[in-house]
Amino acid sequence: MDPRLTPANSRIAHESLRGQIDAPAYTQGKWRRVAAGVVDILKAPNGPRNRQTLWGERVLELENHDGFAFVQAEKDGYVGYIASACLMDDAQATHWVSSLGTHLYPAPDMKQHEVDTLSFGARLTIVGAVNRFLETDTGQFVPTSHLSPVGARCEDTVANAELFLGTPYLWGGNSRAGIDCSGLVQAALLAVGHDCPGDSDMQEGLGSAIADDTPLERGDLLFWKGHVALVVDQARMIHANAFHMAVAYEEIDAGIARIETQGDGPVTARRRL
């Protein structure tokens, strides 16, 4: 079993794993929401970051132990540890952040000091409207123009990725503050309503294979070992990469040659959704 997707640790396992994993205890878990703009999903308590989760995203809390919750993310099944203080009670999201970013305010007034910064894809439960702001169930306010109702889509996958142009590269990142190659692809695909795993090796199973002699099209995916890029057009791709240390355009042929020259091998897959 892939430990990134297996809801079990040395003390607890999800009830669905009974008979597959010998655990001291089993649980159905409890749904919670993320209560901070960006929160690391850690490999272990106080350990390295594996991925990140955003404000309002749902996680299944399996255990709360010594200040950390052991969780599984609803959006992609990713498992890990989140600081317990960064979780709040569950509620159904009504809206999501469809701009690159926005702020949470303590009042419907842009001159107020912001409470937190939210990134593209963050989810909110809206209970009212005041002037040009929407009020959340936590008593805070977000500019109306930065939100879309749940179910509304940003239909161009590449345009979604292009919102992040210039965003700093961050290993395991999933927000406008820092993002990696698979985080960028996931954000772009989730915004069009396409389910997407968290890491590039998992994403390599998306869609269908493209024959080597078939011209690439906008929105196609190119994979290398440990890396993924989105095709912008037949000449260019967009990707979060450590060479530019940012989300950047790159000529496809030049990028393929550069990546192989630096020792990361050839393209391993070309996929079309």
Side-chain angles (χ1 to χ4, degrees):
M1 293 182 178
D2 189 332
R4 296 171 295 178
L5 303 175
T6 304
N9 62 20
S10 61
R11 292 178 298 273
I12 198 80
H14 189 262
E15 184 65 38
S16 63
L17 295 175
R18 190 183 291 271
Q20 302 178 60
I21 287 178
D22 185 15
Y26 299 88
T27 181
Q28 291 289 353
K30 177 174 66 174
W31 286 105
R32 306 291 302 279
R33 282 182 298 166
V34 174
V38 184
V39 178
D40 287 342
I41 298 178
L42 306 174
K43 186 174 183 179
N46 292 313
R49 174 179 55 244
N50 271 350
R51 291 240 58 90
Q52 292 179 323
T53 186
L54 307 177
W55 180 284
E57 291 184 337
R58 299 177 82 215
V59 296
L60 185 63
E61 181 184 275
L62 301 165
E63 177 192 49
N64 202 314
H65 181 76
D66 286 347
F68 285 91
F70 180 57
V71 304
Q72 184 167 39
E74 180 183 50
K75 70 178 178 183
D76 58 13
Y78 223 101
V79 167
Y81 294 83
I82 286 177
S84 302
C86 293
L87 294 176
M88 60 183 170
D89 291 341
D90 189 30
Q92 188 66 41
T94 62
H95 289 70
W96 65 286
V97 176
S98 51
S99 60
L100 176 58
T102 191
H103 296 105
L104 274 176
Y105 293 94
D109 179 359
M110 67 180 181
K111 294 182 180 179
Q112 294 283 320
H113 194 285
E114 74 278 7
V115 175
D116 210 335
T117 299
L118 306 183
S119 185
F120 183 81
R123 301 176 74 80
L124 297 155
T125 301
I126 299 301
V127 297
V130 182
N131 298 326
R132 293 182 295 166
F133 287 80
L134 295 178
E135 183 178 2
T136 74
D137 67 330
T138 56
Q140 296 151 335
F141 296 83
V142 183
T144 303
S145 60
H146 292 167
L147 302 183
S148 293
V150 167
R153 310 297 188 195
C154 297
E155 295 297 346
D156 187 339
T157 304
V158 175
N160 297 336
E162 288 172 327
L163 288 174
F164 288 87
L165 279 167
T167 296
Y169 179 85
L170 181 69
W171 180 270
N174 281 87
S175 83
R176 62 173 299 187
I179 202 162
D180 67 6
C181 64
S182 57
L184 180 67
V185 167
Q186 185 184 61
L189 289 181
L190 290 179
V192 302
H194 198 299
D195 289 341
C196 182
D199 288 344
S200 61
D201 63 319
M202 304 175 189
Q203 293 170 354
E204 199 165 338
L206 294 171
S208 56
I210 306 169
D212 291 342
D213 59 354
T214 299
L216 293 170
E217 296 179 359
R218 184 177 177 87
D220 288 343
L221 296 171
L222 296 176
F223 290 91
W224 293 258
K225 184 178 180 180
H227 189 59
V228 60
L230 265 168
V231 172
V232 176
D233 51 43
Q234 290 189 15
R236 296 179 302 158
M237 61 186 179
I238 183 171
H239 56 155
N241 65 93
F243 178 75
H244 296 96
M245 285 304 294
V247 176
Y249 292 123
E250 190 167 8
E251 295 296 317
I252 291 174
D253 290 344
I256 289 173
R258 175 185 63 76
I259 291 169
E260 187 159 12
T261 298
Q262 71 188 26
D264 293 322
V267 171
T268 57
R270 296 159 28 119
R271 309 288 292 185
R272 181 164 296 163
L273 300 177

PDB file of all heavy atoms in Angstrom, residues 215-250:
ATOM      1  N   PRO A 215       0.774  15.304 -32.684  1.00  0.00           N
ATOM      2  CA  PRO A 215       1.105  16.660 -32.218  1.00  0.00           C
ATOM      3  C   PRO A 215       0.475  16.941 -30.854  1.00  0.00           C
ATOM      4  O   PRO A 215      -0.649  16.517 -30.565  1.00  0.00           O
ATOM      5  CB  PRO A 215       0.512  17.569 -33.299  1.00  0.00           C
ATOM      6  CG  PRO A 215       0.419  16.710 -34.512  1.00  0.00           C
ATOM      7  CD  PRO A 215       0.123  15.326 -34.009  1.00  0.00           C
ATOM      8  N   LEU A 216       1.211  17.638 -30.032  1.00  0.00           N
ATOM      9  CA  LEU A 216       0.701  18.016 -28.724  1.00  0.00           C
ATOM     10  C   LEU A 216      -0.353  19.108 -28.858  1.00  0.00           C
ATOM     11  O   LEU A 216      -0.331  19.909 -29.787  1.00  0.00           O
ATOM     12  CB  LEU A 216       1.852  18.516 -27.846  1.00  0.00           C
ATOM     13  CG  LEU A 216       2.885  17.458 -27.444  1.00  0.00           C
ATOM     14  CD1 LEU A 216       4.095  18.120 -26.799  1.00  0.00           C
ATOM     15  CD2 LEU A 216       2.272  16.425 -26.497  1.00  0.00           C
ATOM     16  N   GLU A 217      -1.277  19.133 -27.886  1.00  0.00           N
ATOM     17  CA  GLU A 217      -2.331  20.133 -27.855  1.00  0.00           C
ATOM     18  C   GLU A 217      -2.345  20.835 -26.506  1.00  0.00           C
ATOM     19  O   GLU A 217      -1.832  20.323 -25.512  1.00  0.00           O
ATOM     20  CB  GLU A 217      -3.702  19.472 -28.091  1.00  0.00           C
ATOM     21  CG  GLU A 217      -3.866  18.832 -29.450  1.00  0.00           C
ATOM     22  CD  GLU A 217      -5.230  18.178 -29.622  1.00  0.00           C
ATOM     23  OE1 GLU A 217      -6.043  18.207 -28.646  1.00  0.00           O
ATOM     24  OE2 GLU A 217      -5.496  17.638 -30.718  1.00  0.00           O
ATOM     25  N   ARG A 218      -2.943  22.016 -26.474  1.00  0.00           N
ATOM     26  CA  ARG A 218      -3.096  22.774 -25.248  1.00  0.00           C
ATOM     27  C   ARG A 218      -3.776  21.907 -24.180  1.00  0.00           C
ATOM     28  O   ARG A 218      -4.804  21.268 -24.427  1.00  0.00           O
ATOM     29  CB  ARG A 218      -3.941  24.019 -25.518  1.00  0.00           C
ATOM     30  CG  ARG A 218      -4.121  24.972 -24.329  1.00  0.00           C
ATOM     31  CD  ARG A 218      -4.923  26.184 -24.764  1.00  0.00           C
ATOM     32  NE  ARG A 218      -5.199  27.119 -23.680  1.00  0.00           N
ATOM     33  CZ  ARG A 218      -4.399  28.101 -23.312  1.00  0.00           C
ATOM     34  NH1 ARG A 218      -3.251  28.287 -23.961  1.00  0.00           N
ATOM     35  NH2 ARG A 218      -4.716  28.925 -22.320  1.00  0.00           N
ATOM     36  N   GLY A 219      -3.188  21.866 -22.999  1.00  0.00           N
ATOM     37  CA  GLY A 219      -3.741  21.090 -21.896  1.00  0.00           C
ATOM     38  C   GLY A 219      -3.184  19.690 -21.756  1.00  0.00           C
ATOM     39  O   GLY A 219      -3.489  19.010 -20.767  1.00  0.00           O
ATOM     40  N   ASP A 220      -2.385  19.229 -22.722  1.00  0.00           N
ATOM     41  CA  ASP A 220      -1.733  17.927 -22.579  1.00  0.00           C
ATOM     42  C   ASP A 220      -0.720  17.976 -21.438  1.00  0.00           C
ATOM     43  O   ASP A 220      -0.236  19.051 -21.054  1.00  0.00           O
ATOM     44  CB  ASP A 220      -1.019  17.534 -23.875  1.00  0.00           C
ATOM     45  CG  ASP A 220      -1.980  17.160 -24.992  1.00  0.00           C
ATOM     46  OD1 ASP A 220      -3.166  16.896 -24.706  1.00  0.00           O
ATOM     47  OD2 ASP A 220      -1.547  17.146 -26.168  1.00  0.00           O
ATOM     48  N   LEU A 221      -0.394  16.802 -20.918  1.00  0.00           N
ATOM     49  CA  LEU A 221       0.564  16.695 -19.826  1.00  0.00           C
ATOM     50  C   LEU A 221       1.821  15.976 -20.294  1.00  0.00           C
ATOM     51  O   LEU A 221       1.736  14.943 -20.970  1.00  0.00           O
ATOM     52  CB  LEU A 221      -0.050  15.927 -18.653  1.00  0.00           C
ATOM     53  CG  LEU A 221      -1.253  16.586 -17.965  1.00  0.00           C
ATOM     54  CD1 LEU A 221      -1.898  15.611 -16.981  1.00  0.00           C
ATOM     55  CD2 LEU A 221      -0.839  17.849 -17.243  1.00  0.00           C
ATOM     56  N   LEU A 222       2.973  16.510 -19.912  1.00  0.00           N
ATOM     57  CA  LEU A 222       4.266  15.880 -20.175  1.00  0.00           C
ATOM     58  C   LEU A 222       4.874  15.459 -18.849  1.00  0.00           C
ATOM     59  O   LEU A 222       4.895  16.246 -17.894  1.00  0.00           O
ATOM     60  CB  LEU A 222       5.212  16.848 -20.882  1.00  0.00           C
ATOM     61  CG  LEU A 222       4.815  17.311 -22.285  1.00  0.00           C
ATOM     62  CD1 LEU A 222       5.819  18.338 -22.791  1.00  0.00           C
ATOM     63  CD2 LEU A 222       4.727  16.136 -23.231  1.00  0.00           C
ATOM     64  N   PHE A 223       5.376  14.229 -18.791  1.00  0.00           N
ATOM     65  CA  PHE A 223       5.926  13.696 -17.551  1.00  0.00           C
ATOM     66  C   PHE A 223       7.384  13.289 -17.727  1.00  0.00           C
ATOM     67  O   PHE A 223       7.789  12.775 -18.776  1.00  0.00           O
ATOM     68  CB  PHE A 223       5.126  12.472 -17.089  1.00  0.00           C
ATOM     69  CG  PHE A 223       3.746  12.805 -16.600  1.00  0.00           C
ATOM     70  CD1 PHE A 223       2.672  12.791 -17.483  1.00  0.00           C
ATOM     71  CD2 PHE A 223       3.521  13.124 -15.271  1.00  0.00           C
ATOM     72  CE1 PHE A 223       1.390  13.092 -17.041  1.00  0.00           C
ATOM     73  CE2 PHE A 223       2.248  13.422 -14.817  1.00  0.00           C
ATOM     74  CZ  PHE A 223       1.183  13.416 -15.706  1.00  0.00           C
ATOM     75  N   TRP A 224       8.127  13.517 -16.662  1.00  0.00           N
ATOM     76  CA  TRP A 224       9.464  12.991 -16.489  1.00  0.00           C
ATOM     77  C   TRP A 224       9.456  12.261 -15.144  1.00  0.00           C
ATOM     78  O   TRP A 224       8.463  12.347 -14.403  1.00  0.00           O
ATOM     79  CB  TRP A 224      10.498  14.116 -16.422  1.00  0.00           C
ATOM     80  CG  TRP A 224      10.702  14.891 -17.678  1.00  0.00           C
ATOM     81  CD1 TRP A 224      11.728  14.763 -18.564  1.00  0.00           C
ATOM     82  CD2 TRP A 224       9.862  15.945 -18.188  1.00  0.00           C
ATOM     83  NE1 TRP A 224      11.579  15.664 -19.596  1.00  0.00           N
ATOM     84  CE2 TRP A 224      10.450  16.397 -19.398  1.00  0.00           C
ATOM     85  CE3 TRP A 224       8.682  16.547 -17.764  1.00  0.00           C
ATOM     86  CZ2 TRP A 224       9.889  17.416 -20.159  1.00  0.00           C
ATOM     87  CZ3 TRP A 224       8.122  17.557 -18.520  1.00  0.00           C
ATOM     88  CH2 TRP A 224       8.724  17.993 -19.699  1.00  0.00           C
ATOM     89  N   LYS A 225      10.513  11.573 -14.810  1.00  0.00           N
ATOM     90  CA  LYS A 225      10.592  10.963 -13.491  1.00  0.00           C
ATOM     91  C   LYS A 225      10.609  12.083 -12.454  1.00  0.00           C
ATOM     92  O   LYS A 225      11.547  12.870 -12.393  1.00  0.00           O
ATOM     93  CB  LYS A 225      11.848  10.102 -13.364  1.00  0.00           C
ATOM     94  CG  LYS A 225      11.923   9.363 -12.035  1.00  0.00           C
ATOM     95  CD  LYS A 225      13.160   8.478 -11.952  1.00  0.00           C
ATOM     96  CE  LYS A 225      13.193   7.753 -10.609  1.00  0.00           C
ATOM     97  NZ  LYS A 225      14.400   6.884 -10.491  1.00  0.00           N
ATOM     98  N   GLY A 226       9.520  12.177 -11.678  1.00  0.00           N
ATOM     99  CA  GLY A 226       9.448  13.183 -10.630  1.00  0.00           C
ATOM    100  C   GLY A 226       9.061  14.567 -11.095  1.00  0.00           C
ATOM    101  O   GLY A 226       9.197  15.540 -10.336  1.00  0.00           O
ATOM    102  N   HIS A 227       8.534  14.702 -12.324  1.00  0.00           N
ATOM    103  CA  HIS A 227       8.185  16.046 -12.799  1.00  0.00           C
ATOM    104  C   HIS A 227       7.035  15.973 -13.797  1.00  0.00           C
ATOM    105  O   HIS A 227       6.836  14.958 -14.480  1.00  0.00           O
ATOM    106  CB  HIS A 227       9.402  16.705 -13.466  1.00  0.00           C
ATOM    107  CG  HIS A 227       9.194  18.149 -13.783  1.00  0.00           C
ATOM    108  ND1 HIS A 227       8.904  19.091 -12.827  1.00  0.00           N
ATOM    109  CD2 HIS A 227       9.215  18.822 -14.973  1.00  0.00           C
ATOM    110  CE1 HIS A 227       8.768  20.268 -13.397  1.00  0.00           C
ATOM    111  NE2 HIS A 227       8.939  20.139 -14.693  1.00  0.00           N
ATOM    112  N   VAL A 228       6.279  17.094 -13.877  1.00  0.00           N
ATOM    113  CA  VAL A 228       5.165  17.185 -14.816  1.00  0.00           C
ATOM    114  C   VAL A 228       5.042  18.624 -15.292  1.00  0.00           C
ATOM    115  O   VAL A 228       5.332  19.567 -14.557  1.00  0.00           O
ATOM    116  CB  VAL A 228       3.847  16.704 -14.159  1.00  0.00           C
ATOM    117  CG1 VAL A 228       3.484  17.549 -12.939  1.00  0.00           C
ATOM    118  CG2 VAL A 228       2.707  16.695 -15.158  1.00  0.00           C
ATOM    119  N   ALA A 229       4.606  18.792 -16.546  1.00  0.00           N
ATOM    120  CA  ALA A 229       4.376  20.112 -17.132  1.00  0.00           C
ATOM    121  C   ALA A 229       3.098  20.081 -17.948  1.00  0.00           C
ATOM    122  O   ALA A 229       2.681  19.026 -18.439  1.00  0.00           O
ATOM    123  CB  ALA A 229       5.555  20.523 -18.014  1.00  0.00           C
ATOM    124  N   LEU A 230       2.463  21.236 -18.099  1.00  0.00           N
ATOM    125  CA  LEU A 230       1.270  21.405 -18.920  1.00  0.00           C
ATOM    126  C   LEU A 230       1.650  22.038 -20.247  1.00  0.00           C
ATOM    127  O   LEU A 230       2.403  23.022 -20.286  1.00  0.00           O
ATOM    128  CB  LEU A 230       0.273  22.324 -18.213  1.00  0.00           C
ATOM    129  CG  LEU A 230      -0.832  21.719 -17.367  1.00  0.00           C
ATOM    130  CD1 LEU A 230      -1.494  22.827 -16.558  1.00  0.00           C
ATOM    131  CD2 LEU A 230      -1.864  21.021 -18.244  1.00  0.00           C
ATOM    132  N   VAL A 231       1.128  21.486 -21.324  1.00  0.00           N
ATOM    133  CA  VAL A 231       1.386  22.035 -22.656  1.00  0.00           C
ATOM    134  C   VAL A 231       0.504  23.267 -22.869  1.00  0.00           C
ATOM    135  O   VAL A 231      -0.708  23.220 -22.691  1.00  0.00           O
ATOM    136  CB  VAL A 231       1.108  20.972 -23.737  1.00  0.00           C
ATOM    137  CG1 VAL A 231       1.195  21.590 -25.132  1.00  0.00           C
ATOM    138  CG2 VAL A 231       2.091  19.817 -23.598  1.00  0.00           C
ATOM    139  N   VAL A 232       1.141  24.377 -23.246  1.00  0.00           N
ATOM    140  CA  VAL A 232       0.427  25.622 -23.559  1.00  0.00           C
ATOM    141  C   VAL A 232       0.005  25.624 -25.023  1.00  0.00           C
ATOM    142  O   VAL A 232      -1.125  25.941 -25.378  1.00  0.00           O
ATOM    143  CB  VAL A 232       1.302  26.848 -23.243  1.00  0.00           C
ATOM    144  CG1 VAL A 232       0.603  28.138 -23.651  1.00  0.00           C
ATOM    145  CG2 VAL A 232       1.664  26.874 -21.763  1.00  0.00           C
ATOM    146  N   ASP A 233       0.945  25.289 -25.897  1.00  0.00           N
ATOM    147  CA  ASP A 233       0.701  25.139 -27.330  1.00  0.00           C
ATOM    148  C   ASP A 233       1.783  24.200 -27.858  1.00  0.00           C
ATOM    149  O   ASP A 233       2.552  23.639 -27.068  1.00  0.00           O
ATOM    150  CB  ASP A 233       0.700  26.499 -28.051  1.00  0.00           C
ATOM    151  CG  ASP A 233       1.931  27.348 -27.740  1.00  0.00           C
ATOM    152  OD1 ASP A 233       3.055  26.786 -27.713  1.00  0.00           O
ATOM    153  OD2 ASP A 233       1.779  28.564 -27.529  1.00  0.00           O
ATOM    154  N   GLN A 234       1.858  24.040 -29.141  1.00  0.00           N
ATOM    155  CA  GLN A 234       2.812  23.060 -29.681  1.00  0.00           C
ATOM    156  C   GLN A 234       4.266  23.436 -29.413  1.00  0.00           C
ATOM    157  O   GLN A 234       5.151  22.578 -29.494  1.00  0.00           O
ATOM    158  CB  GLN A 234       2.581  22.872 -31.179  1.00  0.00           C
ATOM    159  CG  GLN A 234       1.282  22.151 -31.490  1.00  0.00           C
ATOM    160  CD  GLN A 234       1.158  21.783 -32.963  1.00  0.00           C
ATOM    161  OE1 GLN A 234       2.119  21.812 -33.711  1.00  0.00           O
ATOM    162  NE2 GLN A 234      -0.055  21.421 -33.383  1.00  0.00           N
ATOM    163  N   ALA A 235       4.529  24.688 -29.048  1.00  0.00           N
ATOM    164  CA  ALA A 235       5.907  25.120 -28.825  1.00  0.00           C
ATOM    165  C   ALA A 235       6.270  25.279 -27.353  1.00  0.00           C
ATOM    166  O   ALA A 235       7.434  25.149 -26.986  1.00  0.00           O
ATOM    167  CB  ALA A 235       6.163  26.444 -29.555  1.00  0.00           C
ATOM    168  N   ARG A 236       5.271  25.577 -26.488  1.00  0.00           N
ATOM    169  CA  ARG A 236       5.586  25.962 -25.118  1.00  0.00           C
ATOM    170  C   ARG A 236       4.860  25.097 -24.089  1.00  0.00           C
ATOM    171  O   ARG A 236       3.792  24.555 -24.363  1.00  0.00           O
ATOM    172  CB  ARG A 236       5.197  27.419 -24.861  1.00  0.00           C
ATOM    173  CG  ARG A 236       5.939  28.458 -25.672  1.00  0.00           C
ATOM    174  CD  ARG A 236       5.405  29.842 -25.313  1.00  0.00           C
ATOM    175  NE  ARG A 236       3.971  29.949 -25.561  1.00  0.00           N
ATOM    176  CZ  ARG A 236       3.162  30.839 -24.982  1.00  0.00           C
ATOM    177  NH1 ARG A 236       3.658  31.685 -24.085  1.00  0.00           N
ATOM    178  NH2 ARG A 236       1.874  30.876 -25.281  1.00  0.00           N
ATOM    179  N   MET A 237       5.476  25.030 -22.925  1.00  0.00           N
ATOM    180  CA  MET A 237       4.854  24.395 -21.772  1.00  0.00           C
ATOM    181  C   MET A 237       4.942  25.355 -20.587  1.00  0.00           C
ATOM    182  O   MET A 237       5.718  26.320 -20.601  1.00  0.00           O
ATOM    183  CB  MET A 237       5.532  23.068 -21.435  1.00  0.00           C
ATOM    184  CG  MET A 237       7.005  23.173 -21.084  1.00  0.00           C
ATOM    185  SD  MET A 237       7.749  21.514 -20.868  1.00  0.00           S
ATOM    186  CE  MET A 237       9.460  21.947 -20.505  1.00  0.00           C
ATOM    187  N   ILE A 238       4.127  25.105 -19.565  1.00  0.00           N
ATOM    188  CA  ILE A 238       4.190  25.855 -18.320  1.00  0.00           C
ATOM    189  C   ILE A 238       4.384  24.858 -17.190  1.00  0.00           C
ATOM    190  O   ILE A 238       3.722  23.808 -17.163  1.00  0.00           O
ATOM    191  CB  ILE A 238       2.925  26.720 -18.102  1.00  0.00           C
ATOM    192  CG1 ILE A 238       3.054  27.552 -16.825  1.00  0.00           C
ATOM    193  CG2 ILE A 238       1.654  25.877 -18.087  1.00  0.00           C
ATOM    194  CD1 ILE A 238       1.943  28.580 -16.652  1.00  0.00           C
ATOM    195  N   HIS A 239       5.303  25.169 -16.298  1.00  0.00           N
ATOM    196  CA  HIS A 239       5.553  24.260 -15.172  1.00  0.00           C
ATOM    197  C   HIS A 239       6.219  25.004 -14.023  1.00  0.00           C
ATOM    198  O   HIS A 239       6.917  25.997 -14.215  1.00  0.00           O
ATOM    199  CB  HIS A 239       6.381  23.039 -15.585  1.00  0.00           C
ATOM    200  CG  HIS A 239       7.703  23.339 -16.235  1.00  0.00           C
ATOM    201  ND1 HIS A 239       8.753  22.441 -16.211  1.00  0.00           N
ATOM    202  CD2 HIS A 239       8.171  24.408 -16.929  1.00  0.00           C
ATOM    203  CE1 HIS A 239       9.794  22.930 -16.868  1.00  0.00           C
ATOM    204  NE2 HIS A 239       9.463  24.132 -17.305  1.00  0.00           N
ATOM    205  N   ALA A 240       5.977  24.507 -12.817  1.00  0.00           N
ATOM    206  CA  ALA A 240       6.713  24.958 -11.640  1.00  0.00           C
ATOM    207  C   ALA A 240       7.979  24.119 -11.599  1.00  0.00           C
ATOM    208  O   ALA A 240       7.914  22.893 -11.551  1.00  0.00           O
ATOM    209  CB  ALA A 240       5.883  24.759 -10.382  1.00  0.00           C
ATOM    210  N   ASN A 241       9.123  24.774 -11.621  1.00  0.00           N
ATOM    211  CA  ASN A 241      10.358  23.993 -11.750  1.00  0.00           C
ATOM    212  C   ASN A 241      11.512  24.634 -10.998  1.00  0.00           C
ATOM    213  O   ASN A 241      11.554  25.850 -10.798  1.00  0.00           O
ATOM    214  CB  ASN A 241      10.708  23.809 -13.228  1.00  0.00           C
ATOM    215  CG  ASN A 241      11.043  25.105 -13.922  1.00  0.00           C
ATOM    216  OD1 ASN A 241      12.200  25.483 -14.007  1.00  0.00           O
ATOM    217  ND2 ASN A 241      10.028  25.828 -14.413  1.00  0.00           N
ATOM    218  N   ALA A 242      12.446  23.797 -10.584  1.00  0.00           N
ATOM    219  CA  ALA A 242      13.572  24.246  -9.777  1.00  0.00           C
ATOM    220  C   ALA A 242      14.631  24.961 -10.597  1.00  0.00           C
ATOM    221  O   ALA A 242      15.483  25.657 -10.026  1.00  0.00           O
ATOM    222  CB  ALA A 242      14.195  23.057  -9.043  1.00  0.00           C
ATOM    223  N   PHE A 243      14.604  24.827 -11.931  1.00  0.00           N
ATOM    224  CA  PHE A 243      15.560  25.552 -12.773  1.00  0.00           C
ATOM    225  C   PHE A 243      15.261  27.049 -12.719  1.00  0.00           C
ATOM    226  O   PHE A 243      16.161  27.870 -12.517  1.00  0.00           O
ATOM    227  CB  PHE A 243      15.492  25.041 -14.216  1.00  0.00           C
ATOM    228  CG  PHE A 243      16.414  25.753 -15.162  1.00  0.00           C
ATOM    229  CD1 PHE A 243      17.779  25.509 -15.143  1.00  0.00           C
ATOM    230  CD2 PHE A 243      15.919  26.675 -16.081  1.00  0.00           C
ATOM    231  CE1 PHE A 243      18.639  26.173 -16.021  1.00  0.00           C
ATOM    232  CE2 PHE A 243      16.764  27.334 -16.961  1.00  0.00           C
ATOM    233  CZ  PHE A 243      18.126  27.083 -16.927  1.00  0.00           C
ATOM    234  N   HIS A 244      14.001  27.418 -12.905  1.00  0.00           N
ATOM    235  CA  HIS A 244      13.599  28.824 -12.807  1.00  0.00           C
ATOM    236  C   HIS A 244      13.256  29.212 -11.371  1.00  0.00           C
ATOM    237  O   HIS A 244      13.115  30.388 -11.071  1.00  0.00           O
ATOM    238  CB  HIS A 244      12.374  29.079 -13.686  1.00  0.00           C
ATOM    239  CG  HIS A 244      12.616  28.888 -15.146  1.00  0.00           C
ATOM    240  ND1 HIS A 244      12.325  27.703 -15.804  1.00  0.00           N
ATOM    241  CD2 HIS A 244      13.112  29.731 -16.092  1.00  0.00           C
ATOM    242  CE1 HIS A 244      12.636  27.823 -17.089  1.00  0.00           C
ATOM    243  NE2 HIS A 244      13.113  29.035 -17.282  1.00  0.00           N
ATOM    244  N   MET A 245      13.097  28.217 -10.484  1.00  0.00           N
ATOM    245  CA  MET A 245      12.620  28.408  -9.114  1.00  0.00           C
ATOM    246  C   MET A 245      11.323  29.196  -9.086  1.00  0.00           C
ATOM    247  O   MET A 245      11.063  30.025  -8.213  1.00  0.00           O
ATOM    248  CB  MET A 245      13.687  29.089  -8.242  1.00  0.00           C
ATOM    249  CG  MET A 245      14.820  28.158  -7.841  1.00  0.00           C
ATOM    250  SD  MET A 245      14.270  26.636  -6.986  1.00  0.00           S
ATOM    251  CE  MET A 245      13.606  27.291  -5.461  1.00  0.00           C
ATOM    252  N   ALA A 246      10.462  28.894 -10.057  1.00  0.00           N
ATOM    253  CA  ALA A 246       9.190  29.601 -10.200  1.00  0.00           C
ATOM    254  C   ALA A 246       8.316  28.860 -11.198  1.00  0.00           C
ATOM    255  O   ALA A 246       8.783  27.950 -11.905  1.00  0.00           O
ATOM    256  CB  ALA A 246       9.430  31.032 -10.683  1.00  0.00           C
ATOM    257  N   VAL A 247       7.066  29.256 -11.269  1.00  0.00           N
ATOM    258  CA  VAL A 247       6.190  28.823 -12.354  1.00  0.00           C
ATOM    259  C   VAL A 247       6.561  29.661 -13.577  1.00  0.00           C
ATOM    260  O   VAL A 247       6.563  30.888 -13.518  1.00  0.00           O
ATOM    261  CB  VAL A 247       4.712  29.035 -11.998  1.00  0.00           C
ATOM    262  CG1 VAL A 247       3.823  28.660 -13.172  1.00  0.00           C
ATOM    263  CG2 VAL A 247       4.340  28.221 -10.766  1.00  0.00           C
ATOM    264  N   ALA A 248       6.885  28.985 -14.679  1.00  0.00           N
ATOM    265  CA  ALA A 248       7.403  29.701 -15.841  1.00  0.00           C
ATOM    266  C   ALA A 248       7.019  28.978 -17.124  1.00  0.00           C
ATOM    267  O   ALA A 248       6.762  27.775 -17.132  1.00  0.00           O
ATOM    268  CB  ALA A 248       8.926  29.810 -15.749  1.00  0.00           C
ATOM    269  N   TYR A 249       6.976  29.738 -18.211  1.00  0.00           N
ATOM    270  CA  TYR A 249       6.906  29.151 -19.542  1.00  0.00           C
ATOM    271  C   TYR A 249       8.287  28.639 -19.920  1.00  0.00           C
ATOM    272  O   TYR A 249       9.310  29.175 -19.492  1.00  0.00           O
ATOM    273  CB  TYR A 249       6.510  30.200 -20.581  1.00  0.00           C
ATOM    274  CG  TYR A 249       5.106  30.748 -20.484  1.00  0.00           C
ATOM    275  CD1 TYR A 249       4.896  32.113 -20.338  1.00  0.00           C
ATOM    276  CD2 TYR A 249       3.990  29.916 -20.561  1.00  0.00           C
ATOM    277  CE1 TYR A 249       3.614  32.647 -20.274  1.00  0.00           C
ATOM    278  CE2 TYR A 249       2.708  30.432 -20.496  1.00  0.00           C
ATOM    279  CZ  TYR A 249       2.524  31.800 -20.357  1.00  0.00           C
ATOM    280  OH  TYR A 249       1.253  32.315 -20.296  1.00  0.00           O
ATOM    281  N   GLU A 250       8.305  27.627 -20.777  1.00  0.00           N
ATOM    282  CA  GLU A 250       9.567  27.161 -21.342  1.00  0.00           C
ATOM    283  C   GLU A 250       9.266  26.528 -22.693  1.00  0.00           C
ATOM    284  O   GLU A 250       8.225  25.892 -22.875  1.00  0.00           O
ATOM    285  CB  GLU A 250      10.243  26.152 -20.417  1.00  0.00           C
ATOM    286  CG  GLU A 250      11.665  25.802 -20.835  1.00  0.00           C
ATOM    287  CD  GLU A 250      12.445  25.051 -19.759  1.00  0.00           C
ATOM    288  OE1 GLU A 250      11.861  24.660 -18.732  1.00  0.00           O
ATOM    289  OE2 GLU A 250      13.666  24.852 -19.962  1.00  0.00           O
TER     290      GLU A 250
END
